[in-house]
Amino acid sequence: MLNYEMILSRDSYLLAIELRLFWLASLIYGLALILYIFHIITRANVFGKAAATAMLVGVIAQAGLIVLRAFEAGRAPFQTLYESLSWFALCASVTYLYESRRWKNIYFPGVFVSALSMGACLYALFAGSPAIEPLSPALQSYWFEWHVILAFFSYAVFAVSASIEAAYLILSPFVKKGGATGYGVNTENIRDFHRSAFRLVLFGYPLLTFAIFSGAAWANNTWGRYWSWDPKETWSLITWTVFTIYLHSKTIPALKGWPASVFNIIGFICVMMAFPGVNWLASL
Amino acid sequence: MEYSDEKIDKGLAARLTDVFTRAYRLFASTKTSVCILGLMAVCYLIGTVFPQGADLSEYVKEGGRLVFLVSLFDLLDFFSSPVFLFLAFLLFLNLVICTYDRYPAIFIKDDYPREFEPLHSIALTQDIKEAFVKVREAFVKELKFKPVLSDSLWTVVEKGLPYRPLTWLYHAGIIVCFLGFALTYLFAYEGTVTLSPKRLHTVVPDDTGRLKSLWKKKDDPTDFHLLLEDFGTEYIQSPDLNYPDDRAARLAIGLGWGSPAYELHEDSLFVKGWKARIKVVKGKETLYEKTAEVNSPLKYGGYAFHLAGWEDTVKVSVDGNPILLEAKAGDALFVPGLLDPVVFGDVKAGKVLRLDGSMAELEAFTTVKRKVKDREEYLGKVRIGESIDINGRRITLAGFETGSVLNYRYDPGAGVLWAGGLLALVTMALRFYIGWCMAAYNIVEKDGIVYLELFIAVKGLGFSPERVVKALEHRLTKDDIRPVLLPPFK
Ligand code: HEM
């Protein structure tokens, strides 16, 4: 049997490896961001391709990191601020790479996604604690686990949707003037951005709905109250409401164009408020 | 001109009908729901800006300046204010009318046009009759589409789940959720009861829910009693991490300078959970019993009892006196002959899961402090039977008793909410993740070439028009009726 000293040094060693891997993943996302910026400046596909490859390497590093943490903690590693941000970065990058696989030589929206993934990683590393500690009794619940996993997954999907929507809003005027072809975008395929953003919201919306539902079920099971209007809950409800508006606007001919895009971007701002905006406000 | 009473009545009735019809149409519209949802979002936002549950004086003390608005719109308890409740009611009305209005549509078969605007066109080589047979076979046998219209110019086939009933059902689910919220709002109440070991406790509510409170302040005590049979706490040995807060130092660790280190201290004990064996008793009969845990409340008689915490009462003897003094952990105990009161901490007792995975029984101990003015001065630790000397008085820990603190809640809305939520979630997942696909096709001959013209519509994410077209092209090429070399028509 291992003695205490051995256990402590083994755990410290594994954590040191994990932290280095996490920093490495952040740096790779940072590199991807720089390459995407070069692509935007030069319009050269070679930078776009390199950036997408860097993102893929970042994803592999991040996935390895999450597996390592699951092994270290002996539980699903999605519960603390540090862990959930890592999960967010992975989900956002994977969702973007998956969604953009159909596009030929289009890399523009990646600049936002790589910035978000890098930002999430740096926020986790600078503001979160990597300590693996036992969960408090209230947090030892499957409802809570699924709540966090799905909430962050949906936030990541919405973030990617907003990135693509932002690219659509930025590039549309240039496409109309015939100027954005350098980014592989033309009047035919720019509509695909809009459709992609919509499909991502369709994918993320039930996830957020289940996240809110499981959060309420968890609170009800633990404290007996399924809703208490605390700022985090309320912001997630605002986010959900804004995406409901977005989905409805897609069924109204007058709103399904740029107004829907604006609702989508507002939805993303709400995601940022639900997390990490609320934490930031609370610290003021 | 003469007006009869009857005419005036008719005019009024017509106008009322007109107003009613307009209101109905307004509330059956998705545009209205977009507006109301927008207003609701603004209300939620207001609720996050103003501290909910604070009172006006606190608000002013914290520097709040919008006192007039705050008191006019009840902004510190906004989610129970008339403005918010009115808006929530409008949304509910909107949902109900929408759902009622669209009920017939879920049974009506789609009225497809005779002609569609072709979105894709595939060149075929066969003669037009054979093409008809092969294309139909490809859709029905290969791609598993179901024909829904074949006696028109264009043939319509469908696949997936009927999206209208699903959309209708998740809106209906949300209506059920609203009913759950309303029941909670009107009838729910909560309170706290502390169970001491081996004593019967009756729940005596000091509330009765919003609706009943109009005629009755408190609900009746329960006709059953709760009995705490056993209480246990479990701890886990949890090392602390020595890790810097400073950003530069964190970056340095990330780059390989220095390492984080876990350290185990003597009192690195973390509460893993606690359990209470509780019986529900009436007279001599045990009606129900359960070992409740933090995430597993005891439910009985419409109440849910949640383990909120525990309360230790320590029993001490002073200078060997057999008459014991009792004090709750954290409360000041005045010991005769001592100027300053003594404060005992929580008693640490129960099982502990050690770092190496072994289980051990903790030897019960508590901490002793002396309260000097506003400060607490640490004096030491005592186990059962051990003593500590304070200014010449020998204080011995003779024993302790742990009571279970329960939050109870009566909420007839929660079950309704879960039912509605589940309905909404399941139907939404089916509608979004599986979805529906409709394809309409027509086979035409142009300049001696036979073309398959296609129109495809999808709802949800399960089907993609591109994939349907690809699968169809693949099938038709395999059947030798699609030439590989001919260019597409469009
Ligand atoms: C909290 C309230 C509501 C929620 C969460 C909600 C949610 C949704 C969602 C998620 C969609 C799916 C959009 C899509 O399929 O792309 C939708 C569609 C729709 N909603 Fe609502 N809705 C709400 C209230 C209402 C109200 C009050 C109305 C009545 C006007 C309404 C009418 C519709 C209609 C007509 C559709 C389009 C259905 C379709 O195309 O399949 N909804 N709603």
Side-chain angles (χ1 to χ4, degrees):
Chain A
M1 203 187 248
L2 294 175
N3 67 29
Y4 281 9
E5 280 310 311
M6 282 160 80
I7 294 170
L8 291 173
S9 60
R10 178 199 64 190
D11 290 352
S12 306
Y13 177 69
L14 285 176
L15 186 67
I17 294 181
E18 183 200 309
L19 282 168
R20 273 155 215 169
L21 199 55
F22 206 163
W23 277 101
L24 182 70
S26 326
L27 290 180
I28 296 172
Y29 291 135
L31 177 69
L33 173 63
I34 292 168
L35 290 167
Y36 277 123
I37 293 173
F38 275 137
H39 165 68
I40 289 173
I41 296 168
T42 63
R43 301 188 177 206
N45 279 340
V46 59
F47 288 120
K49 234 175 238 167
T53 312
M55 280 278 271
L56 186 64
V57 177
V59 161
I60 294 167
Q62 189 110 42
L65 169 76
I66 290 177
V67 172
L68 174 63
R69 184 141 182 112
F71 170 73
E72 282 174 81
R75 59 166 168 80
F78 306 109
Q79 270 108 342
T80 62
L81 173 81
Y82 168 91
E83 290 170 347
S84 43
L85 281 163
S86 171
W87 173 236
F88 173 89
L90 178 72
C91 291
S93 308
V94 169
T95 305
Y96 176 68
L97 290 177
Y98 179 80
E99 192 56 26
S100 62
R101 79 198 184 285
R102 287 175 292 120
W103 302 337
K104 296 230 160 48
N105 296 330
I106 298 181
Y107 305 102
F108 194 95
V111 71
F112 303 116
V113 183
S114 54
L116 280 167
S117 296
M118 186 189 71
C121 290
L122 291 181
Y123 185 32
L125 287 164
F126 283 135
S129 160
I132 293 176
E133 284 163 351
L135 293 177
S136 69
L139 303 187
Q140 296 163 21
S141 150
Y142 286 120
W143 284 121
F144 174 70
E145 211 167 289
W146 281 107
H147 168 64
V148 182
I149 291 174
L150 295 180
F152 279 85
F153 189 10
S154 70
Y155 288 167
V157 172
F158 292 141
V160 175
S161 173
S163 302
I164 296 173
E165 197 82 83
Y168 170 75
L169 289 175
I170 294 169
L171 293 178
S172 289
F174 293 105
V175 170
K176 273 188 200 139
K177 285 186 212 148
T181 41
Y183 301 122
V185 183
N186 54 38
T187 41
E188 281 290 303
N189 61 19
I190 185 102
R191 257 178 283 135
D192 204 32
F193 274 21
H194 205 42
R195 229 173 294 137
S196 233
F198 172 57
R199 286 170 63 83
L200 286 170
V201 175
L202 273 191
F203 182 72
Y205 186 83
L207 298 181
L208 180 62
T209 310
F210 188 71
I212 293 176
F213 183 81
S214 52
W218 167 55
N220 191 61
N221 224 19
T222 309
W223 297 287
R225 234 181 213 228
Y226 56 77
W227 197 262
S228 43
W229 294 113
D230 81 31
K232 227 179 175 63
E233 272 175 353
T234 312
W235 271 109
S236 66
L237 187 63
I238 299 175
T239 308
W240 188 73
T241 307
V242 171
F243 282 112
T244 307
I245 294 175
Y246 169 83
L247 287 175
H248 279 150
S249 69
K250 284 294 207 180
T251 67
I252 302 171
L255 299 180
K256 70 198 296 185
W258 69 265
S261 303
V262 172
F263 290 139
N264 194 359
I265 303 283
I266 295 175
F268 170 68
I269 295 170
C270 293
V271 166
M272 286 290 114
M273 283 312 296
F275 182 86
V278 181
N279 295 358
W280 175 71
L281 280 181
S283 70
L284 290 183
Chain B
M1 210 191 269
E2 262 182 65
Y3 291 100
S4 72
D5 276 358
E6 203 182 320
K7 262 191 187 160
I8 292 172
D9 276 356
K10 263 197 183 154
L12 188 67
R15 248 181 294 152
L16 277 178
T17 316
D18 187 42
V19 168
F20 178 78
T21 315
R22 273 182 204 210
Y24 180 86
R25 291 268 48 100
L26 180 72
F27 275 92
S29 142
T30 329
K31 277 188 205 141
T32 310
S33 61
V34 165
C35 297
I36 299 179
L37 284 166
L39 289 174
M40 289 296 282
V42 172
C43 284
Y44 303 145
L45 193 72
I46 291 172
T48 65
V49 172
F50 294 91
Q52 297 303 297
D55 66 25
L56 201 60
S57 58
E58 275 174 72
Y59 172 74
V60 174
K61 224 198 270 167
E62 294 288 319
R65 277 174 292 165
L66 304 170
V67 178
F68 174 69
L69 285 179
V70 165
S71 37
L72 184 66
F73 292 109
D74 218 351
L75 295 181
L76 300 180
D77 188 16
F78 192 51
F79 298 116
S80 305
S81 70
V83 174
F84 181 78
L85 293 177
F86 177 67
L87 257 181
F89 176 72
L90 286 189
L91 181 61
F92 176 68
L93 202 66
N94 188 200
L95 253 170
V96 171
I97 293 178
C98 249
T99 310
Y100 172 77
D101 190 56
R102 283 159 179 81
Y103 179 69
I106 59 180
F107 301 106
I108 293 173
K109 270 187 120 186
D110 275 314
D111 197 9
Y112 292 115
R114 265 186 62 75
E115 280 193 51
F116 290 81
E117 174 79 20
L119 297 178
H120 308 270
S121 196
I122 302 169
L124 307 176
T125 48
Q126 291 290 331
D127 71 281
I128 197 157
K129 269 198 191 135
E130 177 140 22
F132 261 113
V133 176
K134 291 278 187 197
V135 169
R136 189 186 160 86
E137 258 180 29
F139 265 120
V140 177
K141 290 211 178 120
E142 279 291 314
L143 305 182
K144 308 277 181 250
F145 274 82
K146 199 171 78 199
V148 285
L149 181 75
S150 44
D151 52 358
S152 177
L153 191 61
W154 283 64
T155 304
V156 180
V157 289
E158 255 184 20
K159 193 175 174 176
L161 301 172
Y163 73 96
R164 280 215 189 89
L166 290 175
T167 305
W168 190 88
L169 276 170
Y170 63 68
H171 284 87
I174 296 167
I175 292 179
V176 177
C177 290
F178 263 85
L179 295 176
F181 296 141
L183 286 176
T184 298
Y185 183 80
L186 293 174
F187 297 107
Y189 60 81
E190 58 196 17
T192 304
V193 56
T194 303
L195 307 184
S196 311
K198 311 282 181 209
R199 253 169 273 163
L200 290 177
H201 292 264
T202 309
V203 180
V204 188
D206 47 17
D207 197 352
T208 171
R210 277 194 179 85
L211 188 70
K212 261 200 205 165
S213 70
L214 294 178
W215 66 88
K216 187 175 172 185
K217 280 275 161 280
K218 294 180 179 191
D219 218 347
D220 300 330
T222 54
D223 62 351
F224 56 82
H225 309 286
L226 298 176
L227 179 68
L228 179 64
E229 281 279 293
D230 193 18
F231 186 90
T233 320
E234 277 180 20
Y235 295 85
I236 186 165
Q237 234 177 355
S238 167
D240 300 318
L241 183 68
N242 188 352
Y243 185 66
D245 279 335
D246 171 54
R247 287 181 185 179
R250 287 186 170 197
L251 176 61
I253 287 178
L255 296 176
W257 290 293
S259 278
Y262 282 111
E263 291 161 359
L264 198 62
H265 301 289
E266 197 198 347
D267 52 358
S268 298
L269 284 181
F270 187 91
V271 181
K272 185 165 164 266
W274 58 97
K275 294 178 181 173
R277 180 87 194 151
I278 302 170
K279 275 187 176 169
V280 179
V281 180
K282 192 172 181 179
K284 286 201 169 130
E285 200 188 343
T286 299
L287 302 173
Y288 181 66
E289 57 186 302
K290 168 170 176 152
T291 303
E293 293 181 51
V294 174
N295 281 310
S296 173
L298 175 135
K299 290 183 181 165
Y300 192 82
Y303 288 94
F305 297 92
H306 297 264
L307 299 196
W310 67 89
E311 199 174 81
D312 288 320
T313 305
V314 294
K315 297 177 183 185
V316 293
S317 140
V318 180
D319 293 337
N321 193 330
I323 299 173
L324 303 179
L325 300 181
E326 288 191 5
K328 283 193 182 134
D331 283 1
L333 173 72
F334 287 91
V335 176
L338 286 184
L339 208 58
D340 302 312
V342 180
V343 179
F344 293 92
D346 273 341
V347 179
K348 292 258 172 29
K351 291 196 170 70
V352 58
L353 175 66
R354 291 209 290 239
L355 199 58
D356 60 7
S358 63
M359 275 299 235
E361 195 71 40
L362 268 181
E363 248 188 282
F365 70 88
T366 183
T367 52
V368 189
K369 289 176 183 168
R370 179 167 45 194
K371 195 162 184 185
V372 186
K373 293 188 184 135
D374 292 340
R375 218 164 35 82
E376 283 185 349
E377 189 182 295
Y378 180 77
L379 300 176
K381 231 188 222 177
V382 280
R383 293 175 210 281
I384 304 267
E386 281 182 359
S387 307
I388 186 164
D389 269 355
I390 308 174
N391 285 358
R393 306 242 85 156
R394 189 162 48 86
I395 308 221
T396 311
L397 180 64
F400 72 96
E401 198 180 82
T402 305
S404 181
V405 183
L406 303 180
N407 279 346
Y408 65 84
R409 183 159 165 99
Y410 174 80
D411 184 353
V416 179
L417 176 69
W418 303 139
L422 207 65
L423 173 66
L425 261 173
V426 171
T427 46
M428 186 185 285
L430 292 175
R431 158 76 171 80
F432 282 32
Y433 294 145
I434 297 183
W436 166 91
C437 178
M438 179 273 270
Y441 67 87
N442 185 21
I443 297 171
V444 290
E445 200 178 333
K446 281 180 193 151
D447 304 330
I449 301 175
V450 177
Y451 287 99
L452 166 68
E453 292 187 326
L454 261 181
F455 172 90
I456 297 176
V458 294
K459 292 275 179 187
L461 298 167
F463 301 97
S464 107
E466 292 83 28
R467 253 184 284 146
V468 173
V469 172
K470 247 194 199 149
L472 191 66
E473 278 183 336
H474 178 250
R475 185 68 234 168
L476 295 177
T477 313
K478 233 168 109 186
D479 278 355
D480 265 354
I481 69 157
R482 179 181 133 68
V484 186
L485 291 175
L486 269 180
F489 176 64
K490 214 174 186 182

